[in-house]
Amino acid sequence: MSLVDISNWPSGNQRFVPIGKRIKKVVLHPTSFDLYYFKEPKEKYPWEFWNEIIAYEVGKKLGFNVLKYEPAILDGIGGCLSKSMTEDFTQELIHGQQVLLRIYPEFETKKGTDHTFQLVESFFKSMNEEEHKLIINDFIEMLVFDAIIGNRDRHQQNWAIIREIKVQIRTGKYFSLKKQTNLPIITRTVRFSPLFDNGNCLAYNIIEENLHNFIDDENKLDKYLFGEKAVSHLKWYGAAMPHIELLNHISKIYPEVVLKSIIRVESLFNENIINDIVLNIDNGTIFADEIYSLSPKRKELISKLITTRTKRLIQAFL
């Protein structure tokens, strides 16, 4: 995987935070002029951006629709690069918080304490039947993916829908008019966005000298993976709970959706392939500053986290 140097790509002068907490910078591809976002890692965890790249590769292997991230560098700063999820002015990315505020203006935005499956579901049910079915299915798919990577940070600004408005001009006679008339036909569609901001997982917050503790101590690893802090940000009737427990509740209402996703994961999951993805994720990528590199120990732990969580998920439902 090659390192993309975007230092000379056209861009604005300022880094900014569009929605969410992480600093991003908008850049344009120098030949296609497609819009891209460069995401800087947290200063405390400079390796964290690799988790976005690993999540994409693992998610793709397991059949999830994950936004593609690539390793990149901007003026010596390491990070990851992703293409805009909207292609032109006819498409609009609408984050979860925006839609939840529409149906519940008192929604608590700082910590997302009102971010519950029931509230999200009520918004999806306000759509037409076909859109509701597609969107809720994709939303549950996201929760299955979060159970695999251990994402505890899927707050209301870390998922979105994409609304698209198309205008077609049709020529014909309308309303008994004698002359041919050009009439605009407007169609609106809504779909769930690719999964993005998947970096706050996979031992991102474990510093280098502590990695061996989780690799060598099964009890410590199990507590990190499934302990009282290992919960989904999305709540069930206001209660925070582990990812698998949340999915178990959801499966009582949407059994086919949950099982279909997990059955697919089981059919595509191969521990050797996951190990290969993680251990070779940085092949061909060399940063001048070693703080952005992945150590063999970190890759070993990340691979162990993914395989352990995936096996536990499959065991819980199949």
Side-chain angles (χ1 to χ4, degrees), residues 273-286:
I273 292 177
I274 298 300
N275 289 337
D276 186 65
I277 289 173
V278 177
L279 297 181
N280 295 295
I281 195 71
D282 56 350
N283 282 2
T285 304
I286 301 174

Side-chain angles (χ1 to χ4, degrees), residues 82-94:
S82 61
K83 190 177 180 180
S84 172
M85 289 182 279
T86 55
E87 296 179 358
D88 54 44
F89 67 91
T90 66
Q91 299 178 358
E92 179 185 10
L93 187 73
I94 305 173

Side-chain angles (χ1 to χ4, degrees), residues 131-173:
E131 288 177 342
H132 165 246
K133 183 177 180 180
L134 292 173
I135 295 287
I136 195 69
N137 288 5
D138 288 342
F139 187 81
I140 294 171
E141 274 264 307
M142 176 186 72
L143 301 178
V144 173
F145 183 62
D146 285 346
I148 291 170
I149 63 174
N151 189 354
R152 309 175 193 181
D153 194 43
R154 186 70 68 190
H155 55 73
Q156 66 277 2
Q157 296 184 79
N158 276 354
W159 60 268
I161 59 175
I162 296 174
R163 182 172 61 189
E164 184 171 12
I165 299 177
K166 292 183 178 180
V167 180
Q168 295 177 309
I169 303 298
R170 294 182 182 177
T171 302
K173 292 184 178 181

